[in-house]
Amino acid sequence: MKSSLIYVLAVVLTMALFTGCYDRGIVDEKDFDYSLPKVENLAYTEQGNLVKLTWGIPADISPAFRRPLEVSIQKVENGIYREIIIVGVEGTSRDIEIDPSKTYRFVVKLAGYLTDEARETGKPDRVYSEGQVVEVE
């Protein structure tokens, strides 16, 4: 009786281990042929409690994206994520209020939606470029 109980437990444990195995990288991968380039010439100026971020929109945007594009700015204050600021209609600057006694990091990404013709079933239609980072201390 004892050996059969150990055998059943071993089989159940083995089954649990095998059903929990999968490659997370494959599950998370968003493999499709569309990407956006990074914003260009990212810079900032600081004056009192305002930071002005400026950037350029690259010219080599695929026609598979609906225009105008947006720019997404993630604001990180003293190492804590605070907000996302969206700049629409392909804007190239944004004034952001800050507390000069704190440190900030801004992650700036180009964002766009694929056209209906370019969309693939089961794939995302919103695409972000790789982020460019500005540190303000």
Side-chain angles (χ1 to χ4, degrees):
M1 176 71 175
K2 186 176 181 180
S3 66
S4 64
L5 181 60
I6 292 173
Y7 176 76
V8 169
L9 286 174
V11 169
V12 169
L13 179 62
T14 303
M15 288 175 48
L17 287 173
F18 281 116
T19 58
C21 294
Y22 61 93
D23 188 342
R24 187 77 216 175
I26 292 172
V27 172
D28 288 340
E29 186 172 318
K30 297 176 182 175
D31 186 25
F32 57 99
D33 296 327
Y34 302 105
S35 63
L36 285 168
K38 299 176 189 178
V39 296
E40 297 175 339
N41 304 318
L42 180 61
Y44 79 94
T45 56
E46 183 179 358
Q47 187 173 14
N49 66 339
L50 281 180
V51 166
K52 181 177 189 127
L53 296 175
T54 58
W55 59 85
I57 304 292
D60 58 341
I61 305 292
S62 167
F65 288 95
R66 285 190 267 164
R67 302 297 287 262
L69 299 172
E70 297 176 339
V71 174
S72 169
I73 303 169
Q74 296 174 358
K75 180 181 178 182
V76 181
E77 177 184 275
N78 283 343
I80 300 169
Y81 168 81
R82 291 293 180 195
E83 65 180 307
I84 292 180
I85 301 162
I86 301 295
V87 180
V89 294
E90 298 191 16
T92 57
S93 69
R94 179 65 181 240
D95 291 333
I96 302 171
E97 193 170 325
I98 64 165
D99 178 347
S101 68
K102 297 180 179 178
T103 61
Y104 289 87
R105 183 172 62 245
F106 298 98
V107 182
V108 181
K109 298 178 182 182
L110 199 56
Y113 288 97
L114 291 170
T115 62
D116 291 338
E117 297 80 30
R119 278 189 77 187
E120 297 178 38
T121 303
K123 305 283 182 171
D125 67 334
R126 179 111 165 119
V127 178
Y128 291 88
S129 71
E130 187 176 330
Q132 297 275 60
V133 179
V134 168
E135 306 255 354
V136 179
E137 298 182 15

